[in-house]
Amino acid sequence: MLVLKILFWICIFLVVYTYVGYGVVLWIILKVKRLLLHREQEPILPLNEELLPEVTLMICAYNEQEVIREKMENIRALNYPQRKLCVMWVTDGSTDQSNELLGEYPEVKLVFSPERRGKAAAMQHGLRENKAPYVIFTDANTMLNSDALREIVRQFMKENVSCVSGEKRVAARHKGQTAAEGEGVYWRYESILKQWDSDLYSAMGAAGELFAVRMEHYREAPQNALLDDFMMSMLILKDGHRIAYTSRAYAMEYGSANMKEESKRKRRIAAGGLQSIWWLRSLMNPFSHTKVAFQFISHRVLRWSITPLALLLLIPLNIILVALDAGIIYTVIGVLQLLFYMATLTGWLLARSGHEVKILNIPVYFLFMNMNVFLGIRYLMTHSQSGIWEKAGRG
C-alpha cells in the first residue's frame, strides 16, 4: 500500500504543480527578484522613424482566399513606416484563388511553391527571399493590433533578445462555442505564464500567430517539425539568446468552430510537443543550461508528457486506495475527482444541447486538452516525417 500512496501523491503533485504550482513559484521568485534588483527599464523606440529597422512581415498560407482581403486591410492599418516594411506572402501549394487575390496588392512580395511541403518548408522558402534584419511571422487568419510591429521591435532592444513572442488572443465568433471559449480562458492563463517566464529569464517558445526573429541568430527548424514556430524559437534559446514576450503586440483569431475541429489542432500540438521535447532534450540538463532547464521542464516538458499520464493514473489509484481503506483523505480526494468529472460531463452535455454554462467550459477544455496528448502520440507515429498540417475549421 505504501508504494501506491507514494505513486498517488506524486501524481497529485505533478498535476497541481504543472497547472497551478509553477505559476505560484514564478510569482514568488519574481516578487523577490524585483525587491532585490531594479526593474528592467522599458526600451524606448527612436523618435526619428528613419532609425526604425527594416522588417519583413511574413505570412505562410495554404488556401486562405477567404481571409486575404481582411488580412491585407489589417496590414495596411499597422503603425509602421511602409517604406520600412516588406509584406511577404508564402503560398505553400495553394490551389485556390490566393495568388490571384494577392496580385491585387502592389506592396505584396509573393513567394509561391506549387508543391505543398508544410509550414516549416514554406518559412525557409520565404526566408531565402528575405533581405530585412528582422522577420515577423503571423498567420493569415489572425489580426494584429496597430502597434504590434513597433512593440515587437521595441523588445529587440532588450539585452540578448533574438526572438520575440507576441500574445495570442482567442475570441468566440458565436455564443456557445465551447472550444473557442475554453481555449480563450486557457490562453489568458498561458499568456500570464509566458510573461512571467520572460520576466524571469526567457519565454519558453513562441507561437506562430505572432513572433519574430533576429536573422543574425536565426536557426532553421527541421522540415518535418510539427511545431515549426516553437522549434525555431527554442533553437535560438538553445544557442544562448533570450525569447522576449510582450502582450502589447497581439494577434486576435477566432477559436475552433467546435471540439472536433479543435482536436485537430490539439493532436498536432501534442505530437509536436513530444517531438520537440526529444529534439531539445539537452535543455533539460541543468548543468549545461542552468537558466533554462527549470523553466523548460516546468512549463513544457511536464505538460506535454508526464502530467497527462499522472492525471489519468489518479483515477484507478484513488479507487484502489479507497477500496483498501487507506484513509479519509483518499475518500475526500475521490469525491472531489468525481465532482470534477461530473462537472466536465455536465458541461459537455449542456454545450452539445446548446445550453452551455461558461464556468463548465474550463473543466471540459482542461480534460479535452489532456486527452489529446494521448491522441497526439498516435498522430506523431503517422506524421513524424511530414510537416504538413491539417487546418482546423475556425468559428
Side-chain angles (χ1 to χ4, degrees):
M1 186 185 291
L2 180 60
V3 174
L4 290 176
K5 287 182 177 180
I6 292 172
L7 184 57
F8 178 81
W9 287 109
I10 289 173
C11 290
I12 287 278
F13 170 79
L14 286 171
V15 173
V16 174
Y17 176 74
T18 300
Y19 291 104
V20 180
Y22 177 57
V24 173
V25 171
L26 275 180
W27 182 81
I28 293 171
I29 293 174
L30 288 173
K31 280 289 184 182
V32 174
K33 180 182 176 181
R34 286 162 186 162
L35 284 173
L36 298 176
L37 304 172
H38 292 293
R39 188 174 180 180
E40 185 178 11
Q41 185 178 0
E42 278 290 312
I44 300 173
L45 284 173
L47 293 175
N48 186 350
E49 290 194 347
E50 292 298 326
L51 297 177
L52 288 174
E54 292 185 0
V55 300
T56 292
L57 182 65
M58 185 183 296
I59 305 102
C60 297
Y62 168 71
N63 287 353
E64 295 284 7
Q65 63 180 18
E66 291 85 0
V67 297
I68 284 175
R69 294 194 189 282
E70 183 183 6
K71 182 69 174 181
M72 287 305 302
E73 287 177 11
N74 176 247
I75 290 172
R76 285 180 166 179
L78 294 175
N79 180 21
Y80 206 83
Q82 293 298 308
R83 63 189 179 280
K84 299 274 189 172
L85 177 64
C86 171
V87 180
M88 182 186 295
W89 283 76
V90 184
T91 53
D92 179 50
S94 292
T95 55
D96 63 359
Q97 299 300 307
S98 292
N99 292 347
E100 288 78 5
L101 287 172
L102 289 169
E104 299 175 11
Y105 298 92
E107 70 268 37
V108 168
K109 181 173 184 178
L110 178 62
V111 179
F112 173 61
S113 171
E115 179 187 358
R116 190 183 182 200
R117 294 180 298 161
K119 192 174 180 181
M123 283 180 169
Q124 291 162 20
H125 188 187
L127 289 173
R128 287 194 293 271
E129 302 295 324
N130 170 62
K131 299 293 189 289
Y134 300 97
V135 177
I136 301 172
F137 300 92
T138 183
D139 288 341
N141 65 332
T142 61
M143 303 302 143
L144 311 182
N145 62 304
S146 61
D147 286 331
L149 304 194
R150 285 178 177 263
E151 291 299 335
I152 284 174
V153 169
R154 182 196 303 273
Q155 297 302 312
F156 279 115
M157 296 181 178
K158 292 182 177 179
E159 182 182 358
N160 199 30
V161 168
S162 288
C163 180
V164 178
S165 174
E167 182 174 288
K168 173 181 175 179
R169 298 185 183 180
V170 180
R173 190 183 292 272
H174 307 293
K175 183 181 178 181
Q177 286 184 274
T178 304
E181 292 177 353
E183 186 187 3
V185 172
Y186 166 77
W187 273 103
R188 285 194 289 274
Y189 175 63
E190 178 68 8
S191 295
I192 293 172
L193 289 184
K194 286 184 175 183
Q195 186 64 67
W196 289 350
D197 271 337
S198 180
D199 291 346
L200 180 60
Y201 174 64
S202 171
M204 290 296 109
E209 287 78 14
L210 180 59
F211 80 106
V213 298
R214 188 193 302 271
M215 289 306 299
E216 180 185 355
H217 299 139
Y218 161 73
R219 287 283 303 279
E220 186 176 297
Q223 289 205 7
N224 62 328
L226 296 171
L227 294 183
D228 39 78
D229 39 27
F230 178 77
M231 276 302 302
M232 188 186 298
S233 60
M234 291 300 285
L235 288 173
I236 290 173
L237 179 63
K238 188 177 179 181
D239 281 347
H241 309 288
R242 294 169 56 207
I243 305 169
Y245 179 83
T246 176
S247 59
R248 295 178 181 176
Y250 59 86
M252 178 70 75
E253 69 176 1
Y254 290 112
S256 299
N258 51 52
M259 298 298 272
K260 181 179 178 181
E261 293 299 315
E262 177 65 3
S263 184
K264 293 179 184 178
R265 291 183 62 254
K266 286 300 178 189
R267 277 177 287 176
R268 179 175 62 83
I269 291 170
L274 292 169
Q275 183 189 56
S276 302
I277 287 170
W278 177 250
W279 284 340
L280 299 167
R281 58 191 181 278
S282 64
L283 289 179
M284 290 185 272
N285 184 348
F287 299 103
S288 57
H289 296 280
T290 307
K291 294 181 179 179
V292 176
F294 161 66
Q295 292 179 271
F296 182 52
I297 293 171
S298 298
H299 197 162
R300 295 302 183 189
V301 176
L302 293 179
R303 189 178 297 189
W304 283 338
S305 59
I306 303 172
T307 299
L309 180 60
L311 183 67
L312 181 65
L313 285 175
L314 277 175
I315 302 171
L317 285 172
N318 207 164
I319 292 171
I320 294 170
L321 288 168
V322 169
L324 293 175
D325 198 20
I328 187 66
I329 185 65
Y330 299 100
T331 303
V332 172
I333 295 174
V335 171
L336 292 174
Q337 280 207 81
L338 180 61
L339 290 173
F340 169 78
Y341 287 106
M342 286 179 63
T344 304
L345 179 60
T346 302
W348 180 70
L349 291 173
L350 286 173
R352 288 196 57 165
S353 65
H355 301 87
E356 68 153 4
V357 178
K358 284 190 176 183
I359 191 68
L360 296 181
N361 287 338
I362 297 174
V364 170
Y365 194 80
F366 174 80
L367 186 60
F368 169 80
M369 182 173 62
N370 280 278
M371 286 173 56
N372 274 281
V373 171
F374 297 101
L375 297 176
I377 296 172
R378 181 180 177 185
Y379 187 99
L380 180 60
M381 294 171 64
T382 56
H383 292 75
S384 62
Q385 300 304 315
S386 172
I388 296 175
W389 71 102
E390 183 180 4
K391 289 168 59 178
R394 291 289 174 174

